[in-house]
Amino acid sequence: MSMPRKIGAINALYPMPVVIVGAVVKDKPNFITVAHVGILNASPPHLVSIGLGKVHYTNQGIREAQCFSINIPSEALLRKADYVGIVSGRKVDKSRVFESSPGEMTKAPLIKDCPVGMECKVVNTLDLPTHDVFIAEIMATYADESVLTDGRIDIAKLKPLLFDMSSRKYWSLGPAVGDCWDVGKKMEGD
């Protein structure tokens, strides 16, 4: 391998999973497509974060209700997912794009066509100069039977979308390439 070339202070953490965040704003479900979502704690309490520019309409609903949903669209929802990410809820009634329903948290609308949805309760908000970072605990997760294998979400069945800022394209997953916490064992004794 040759010496790496410095290309600036860019974020090279893409691709990221595409999610659709749901919140109730002015008594209507509103949705926004987000790729800046993260896992903060993989064991209970399950904590996640979403970063939204302060200009987004959805932030108002999240701040007021202190909850939101994270819906994972499959490849089949590409057009709708892109659409709710490029139009503003201030100008377009996005409650008509998806059929939604509240779970136990009535202000965190779940999208019925998304194979996986999570209800999240805000536990902290980072108020950055240009963005709000909402840190939340996952209170409930819902998954369609069609994406489950042995009671667990099977991403091969889910077929989630991935977002890449560098190419400005959506991507899909390929086949698995190895087993976690196992493939590295082959290095022992090398």
Side-chain angles (χ1 to χ4, degrees):
M1 183 182 273
S2 65
M3 180 67 164
R5 178 169 58 114
K6 186 175 180 179
I7 59 173
I10 65 164
N11 186 343
L13 294 175
Y14 293 101
M16 298 292 293
V18 172
V19 301
I20 302 169
V21 172
V24 173
V25 184
K26 297 184 179 177
D27 297 322
K28 281 190 177 180
N30 187 70
F31 303 100
I32 184 170
T33 303
V34 176
H36 297 156
V37 59
I39 299 167
L40 300 178
N41 194 12
S43 58
H46 298 286
L47 298 176
V48 294
S49 67
I50 58 169
L52 297 175
K54 288 186 179 287
V55 300
H56 293 298
Y57 184 68
T58 307
N59 297 31
Q60 176 184 343
I62 295 172
R63 282 187 174 277
E64 288 174 3
Q66 292 295 291
C67 65
F68 56 89
S69 65
I70 295 177
N71 302 275
I72 303 176
S74 65
E75 294 172 4
L77 291 175
L78 174 62
R79 289 181 69 195
K80 287 183 177 183
D82 190 56
Y83 178 74
V84 298
I86 60 177
V87 297
S88 172
R90 283 186 186 86
K91 298 177 182 177
V92 174
D93 181 359
K94 294 195 260 184
S95 70
R96 297 176 187 207
V97 176
F98 300 105
E99 184 180 350
S100 66
S101 65
E104 294 174 13
M105 302 176 83
T106 59
K107 301 283 185 174
L110 295 162
I111 298 172
K112 289 185 177 183
D113 287 338
C114 285
V116 176
M118 295 170 272
E119 293 177 302
C120 303
K121 178 180 78 172
V122 175
V123 296
N124 200 351
T125 302
L126 298 178
D127 187 4
L128 302 176
T130 59
H131 284 70
D132 290 322
V133 178
F134 298 103
I135 298 170
E137 180 178 354
I138 299 170
M139 303 306 291
T141 301
Y142 304 86
D144 190 274
E145 288 290 337
S146 67
V147 300
L148 297 177
T149 298
D150 298 327
R152 292 181 173 206
I153 297 168
D154 184 331
I155 63 169
K157 291 178 179 178
L158 175 59
K159 297 184 180 181
L161 294 167
L162 301 175
F163 171 79
D164 175 47
M165 181 65 89
S166 180
S167 67
R168 296 184 184 225
K169 296 202 180 298
Y170 294 104
W171 295 83
S172 60
L173 290 175
V177 296
D179 293 324
C180 299
W181 305 291
D182 182 63
V183 71
K185 291 178 183 175
K186 293 175 175 72
M187 293 197 59
E188 291 177 1
D190 279 356

